[in-house]
Amino acid sequence: MEEIHVTSCPLNCWDVCGLKVTVRDGKVAKVDGDETHPITQGKICARGRMLKERANSSERLLYPLKKVNGQFVRISWEQALDEVAGKLREIKDRYGTTAVLHSHDYANNGLLKNLDKRFFNCYGGVTELTGSLCWGAGIEAQTWDFGNSYSHAPEDIQNSRHVVIWGRNVARTNMHLFQHLLAAKKRGTKIIVIDPLFQQTAQIADMYVSVKPGMDAFLAMGIMKEMLRLGLEDRAFIARHTVGFSDVEAMLENITMEKMEQLTEVDRSVMTELAMIYGNRPTATYLGLGMQRYANGGNTIRWIDALVAISGNVGIPGGGANFGNLQVGQCFDIAALALPKRKTASRTFTMMKQAEGILQAANPEIKMIIVTCGNPLTQVPNTNLVKKAFQSVDTVVVFEQFMTDTAALADYVLPVTTVFEEEDVYYSSMYHAYVNYGPKLVEPPGEAKSDLWIWAELAKRLGFAADFAYTREEFLKMGLKPLQRHGITLERLKKEKHLLLPVQPVPWSDYRFQTPSGKYEFTSALAQRKGMNGKLQIMYPAESEIANPLLAKKYPYRLLTIHPLRSNHSQHYHLVESIQSLKIEVSKDVAEDKGLAEGDKARVFNDRGELIGTVKILAKAHPKTINIDEGQWAKFGGSVNVLTSDRESDNRYGSTLYDCLVNIEKAEND
């Protein structure tokens, strides 16, 4: 028997595609794109197609596992739940609930994945993680500037004269925006790509700008300085709708164009041309996630926001500083699902420094870690320190589908369902504003259970069963309740499969910003309230020739760690043989400096660790640049995060994964 179902991709990326899934004899047989989806229109990436392999893989975890004398043994769900609940009860009684750390990330965009918060809040409140490895510095930066991080609707690109793709390889990470770019180019819209790497998106650009990694803020400053010299700024917008512009002018006076040319390795003539492009509005800017992964990352996004603002490209069709689109997620009643008022204790570590937090925690120490929707032993920076921290804790519990690096280190591994084995609702807080329905399509293999089932069973054992005494459908209706007044209900979503949420297609068109002043803030009052300098600043990456010349002499090359093409972070490496050998991509000058040829074995190293892989020479990349895709498993060569720092960004909400200097040398072939 064969059936075709419309559902959704759950992966945490820009697009959240509509899917058509063929189920044959109770198994997922094929994953295609849903051509009726207004945004994704039947086109999906290889990562989405891999969901079939994830569901059907013979490597799936099928039964609860407990580590005994260093080896995993199969146990019953009853034993697993009784023992985990017993440890949670004992920890609460002896040490307090914050002796438990909930380590999580965003491997799945399902609405009901928020129910982990409900469990921990009803338990009493645990040690939680703040910030983000991914976009945290940029979200905080835009919150300081605009009051929130909102983006224009995808179709608004039709109104743009120019489109600047800044540090974002949309061909790899946001393929439906790439389709819009191709269409815009045909209409005569000028496409500009700013990136240290000449990637697939740059190949279609009318103008490509190679900027030195970590120096994007100085490029934005140079463009602004040229705009002001040429009188291209929007003085009406600045006067009526902003505060703090005089601070920006004063800061720009402190740095010369020659200095910015030197720092960015971009000619002044290019900055002048970009100034004219921004002045000839509407110009849309799409910001990527890489350039804010530096110690100056929040400041970088703020300078680009400021460029968009002074050029008058805020609040107009075809403009925007498009980074996050949090108005999408804000449509749902997350508080009703999470019950934040139920917690009576709280402690936080940043996601970047969770290892340091674990090792240094006192009153109470961390006694238990529960990991959901994440693989911190691969994805969190400074892998060797993360491993040490997790090994120091009495009990580690991991919810997983496969034996990842993190699961292998755990004391208990609880097998969970994949996307097609549970019902949920999916949405993106990065690009488009469609919410997608995902029905349960197949039964899970073995004894795999949904996260919700596990939370409900633990809640029964811990005395708050009533808080989970709802069906999956009732929880979904709870989260969707604010949308009822807009005619969006679970019943309608089930029928129509995808619905447009009530969000602003052109944010800030009324020029009412969510900042303390109600205006765009070049100097942030919110930052000042948090005890930080609210002014735009001249800041450098922490690992750079300027900030640390001795380190730069020892490790002269900048390491980037971009997203892999075939895997969503670490999720698919074990399923795709072609990406299981570690590749080290180097700019031509690095290859020449070190006598490296394509296919050579090379060792990349710094004070934190080392990796050995196969050399690939990049045809076009900024000098002194090396890239190793993130997400690689230990058994396939090791995570690039053995090299990265757990330092926090300037505003404390982001990682500094790209703020990483390394050296490289030829290694002996096996």
Side-chain angles (χ1 to χ4, degrees):
M1 180 179 174
E2 182 173 293
E3 295 177 320
I4 297 177
H5 303 268
V6 174
T7 183
S8 174
C9 185
L11 298 177
N12 180 29
C13 81
W14 302 93
D15 297 72
V16 185
C17 298
L19 302 180
K20 277 172 57 176
V21 175
T22 302
V23 174
R24 187 179 302 128
D25 299 328
K27 278 201 156 192
V28 176
K30 192 177 182 183
V31 176
D32 280 321
D34 170 22
E35 65 277 1
T36 70
H37 194 283
I39 300 296
T40 62
Q41 298 179 340
K43 296 182 177 68
I44 63 170
C45 71
R47 295 183 291 270
R49 293 188 190 280
M50 286 302 301
L51 294 169
K52 181 189 86 168
E53 279 67 31
R54 281 192 74 84
N56 298 332
S57 173
S58 61
E59 296 181 41
R60 283 282 299 274
L61 296 172
L62 303 178
Y63 309 102
L65 300 173
K66 178 182 179 180
K67 193 171 281 176
V68 179
N69 297 324
Q71 300 295 320
F72 282 116
V73 297
R74 175 180 169 182
I75 59 174
S76 68
W77 268 112
E78 185 176 11
Q79 181 184 346
L81 294 163
D82 286 348
E83 291 185 10
V84 171
K87 290 177 185 294
L88 283 166
R89 190 182 304 109
E90 181 186 0
I91 289 168
K92 184 175 184 177
D93 293 343
R94 290 187 62 187
Y95 306 103
T97 57
T98 56
V100 176
L101 168 67
H102 178 210
S103 178
H104 67 90
D105 216 308
Y106 300 95
N108 183 302
N109 266 356
L111 181 63
L112 297 192
K113 295 303 174 186
N114 289 286
L115 291 172
D116 55 4
K117 302 183 185 73
R118 185 185 192 90
F119 175 83
F120 290 115
N121 288 335
C122 292
Y123 171 67
V126 296
T127 299
E128 301 167 285
L129 299 178
T130 60
S132 166
L133 300 176
C134 188
W135 67 353
I139 294 294
E140 181 71 0
Q142 292 209 319
T143 302
W144 290 8
D145 296 338
F146 298 95
N148 222 315
S149 182
Y150 292 168
S151 289
H152 289 229
E155 62 274 13
D156 184 61
I157 197 172
Q158 297 171 12
N159 297 310
S160 304
R161 268 198 190 125
H162 317 276
V163 176
V164 178
I165 307 294
W166 202 321
R168 183 160 154 187
N169 185 5
V170 300
R172 179 178 283 204
T173 61
N174 191 183
M175 63 182 291
H176 300 93
L177 174 55
F178 188 72
Q179 299 300 316
H180 277 298
L181 287 180
L182 292 173
K185 187 177 172 72
K186 284 183 180 177
R187 292 192 301 269
T189 303
K190 188 170 185 177
I191 310 297
I192 300 95
V193 170
I194 302 172
D195 203 292
L197 301 178
F198 185 82
Q199 23 78 340
Q200 298 96 320
T201 312
Q203 292 173 13
I204 69 159
D206 298 288
M207 179 181 182
Y208 167 64
V209 180
S210 176
V211 61
K212 186 174 182 179
M215 296 298 177
D216 301 81
F218 296 97
L219 178 56
M221 286 183 230
I223 299 167
M224 292 171 72
K225 207 169 170 77
E226 284 297 270
M227 288 197 78
L228 293 171
R229 181 180 69 84
L230 297 168
L232 297 171
E233 72 278 13
D234 187 341
R235 283 285 169 182
F237 173 78
I238 294 168
R240 293 173 192 158
H241 305 298
T242 75
V243 295
F245 182 63
S246 59
D247 291 336
V248 177
E249 291 180 300
M251 192 61 69
L252 291 174
E253 285 295 316
N254 290 329
I255 189 164
T256 64
M257 289 298 298
E258 290 74 23
K259 181 68 173 177
M260 287 184 283
E261 284 183 291
Q262 176 192 341
L263 291 170
T264 61
E265 297 177 357
V266 175
D267 288 342
R268 179 173 181 163
S269 61
V270 174
M271 298 184 198
T272 306
E273 186 175 355
L274 288 168
M276 291 188 287
I277 285 168
Y278 271 96
N280 185 19
R281 45 188 184 272
T283 295
T285 305
Y286 291 88
L287 295 86
L289 304 181
M291 61 190 164
Q292 40 104 53
R293 292 183 176 133
Y294 295 85
N296 61 344
N299 205 59
T300 293
I301 300 300
R302 292 200 70 210
W303 275 110
I304 299 172
D305 286 349
L307 167 60
V308 174
I310 76 155
S311 61
N313 282 296
V314 171
I316 63 169
N322 301 284
F323 184 71
N325 201 12
L326 298 188
Q327 57 181 331
V328 176
Q330 290 163 1
C331 290
F332 305 99
D333 194 344
I334 304 299
L337 295 173
L339 298 180
K341 293 181 180 178
R342 287 290 298 278
K343 66 181 172 186
T344 56
S346 180
R347 177 171 62 181
T348 60
F349 303 153
T350 66
M351 195 172 285
M352 294 66 70
K353 286 195 169 291
Q354 59 186 287
E356 189 176 304
I358 292 164
L359 292 168
Q360 296 179 0
N363 302 318
E365 297 177 1
I366 297 296
K367 295 294 182 181
M368 177 186 259
I369 301 172
I370 298 182
V371 180
T372 62
C373 288
N375 184 11
L377 262 290
T378 299
Q379 294 303 120
V380 174
N382 201 348
T383 296
N384 292 324
L385 189 66
V386 177
K387 187 173 183 179
K388 179 182 176 183
F390 273 60
Q391 288 174 330
S392 75
V393 173
D394 293 347
T395 306
V396 176
V397 181
V398 176
F399 290 35
E400 250 304 345
Q401 298 162 1
F402 295 91
M403 190 56 71
T404 63
D405 293 355
T406 307
L409 189 139
D411 298 289
Y412 294 88
V413 181
L414 307 182
V416 292
T417 46
T418 64
V419 56
F420 304 133
E421 298 155 9
E422 61 185 29
E423 178 187 28
D424 213 332
V425 164
Y426 301 94
Y427 59 93
S428 169
S429 285
M430 292 188 277
Y431 183 48
H432 67 79
Y434 278 86
V435 58
N436 301 338
Y437 177 65
K440 179 178 177 178
L441 303 181
V442 295
E443 291 298 321
E447 295 178 8
K449 302 290 185 182
S450 70
D451 296 44
L452 174 53
W453 183 88
I454 299 172
W455 296 132
E457 289 296 316
L458 288 172
K460 287 178 190 175
R461 289 162 171 79
L462 291 166
F464 50 93
D467 295 301
F468 281 85
Y470 300 89
T471 65
R472 203 168 184 95
E473 185 169 289
E474 286 170 335
F475 273 126
L476 286 171
K477 287 180 177 179
M478 196 183 293
L480 292 168
K481 189 174 181 180
L483 293 164
Q484 287 181 4
R485 69 180 186 273
H486 300 284
I488 296 175
T489 63
L490 182 59
E491 291 74 19
R492 185 180 166 206
L493 187 56
K494 284 183 176 184
K495 182 180 177 182
E496 299 188 35
K497 308 303 182 186
H498 38 253
L499 294 169
L500 181 63
L501 294 167
V503 303
Q504 298 172 322
V506 179
W508 322 119
S509 57
D510 58 1
Y511 298 115
R512 294 179 185 172
F513 298 93
Q514 294 176 22
T515 56
S517 67
K519 297 185 176 186
Y520 179 93
E521 294 191 355
F522 292 107
T523 297
S524 169
L526 178 60
Q528 292 167 343
R529 288 179 186 176
K530 292 186 173 186
M532 287 177 269
N533 188 341
K535 294 181 181 180
L536 287 158
Q537 298 172 66
I538 294 174
M539 295 183 68
Y540 304 98
E543 297 193 9
S544 63
E545 301 93 330
I546 299 168
N548 197 333
L550 291 177
L551 187 72
K553 188 173 182 181
K554 187 177 180 183
Y555 301 115
Y557 305 116
R558 171 71 58 194
L559 177 68
L560 303 180
T561 59
I562 68 172
H563 296 307
L565 179 62
R566 299 291 303 280
S567 179
N568 195 56
H569 303 298
S570 68
Q571 291 184 47
H572 300 335
Y573 275 90
H574 61 302
L575 302 172
V576 185
E577 189 175 347
S578 63
I579 61 174
Q580 288 172 4
S581 61
L582 196 141
K583 293 181 178 62
I584 299 169
E585 298 180 315
V586 302
S587 55
K588 286 182 179 179
D589 62 300
V590 175
E592 290 168 3
D593 288 349
K594 295 294 184 175
L596 297 171
E598 191 99 6
D600 281 350
K601 288 286 184 184
R603 170 178 171 258
V604 179
F605 59 96
N606 60 19
D607 291 342
R608 289 179 287 268
E610 67 174 28
L611 286 174
I612 294 175
T614 305
V615 171
K616 177 178 171 55
I617 299 173
L618 296 168
K620 287 186 182 179
H622 205 83
K624 294 189 174 184
T625 301
I626 297 173
N627 174 67
I628 301 174
D629 286 0
E630 53 93 7
Q632 187 71 276
W633 293 27
K635 67 181 180 180
F636 302 130
S639 168
V640 72
N641 284 320
V642 301
L643 299 163
T644 59
S645 164
D646 63 359
R647 189 184 295 110
E648 297 162 350
S649 66
D650 43 6
N651 59 25
R652 302 174 195 156
Y653 275 81
S655 69
T656 58
L657 289 164
Y658 287 14
D659 203 336
C660 181
L661 292 178
V662 295
N663 210 332
I664 186 171
E665 63 184 16
K666 188 179 288 189
E668 294 298 323
N669 286 303
D670 295 334

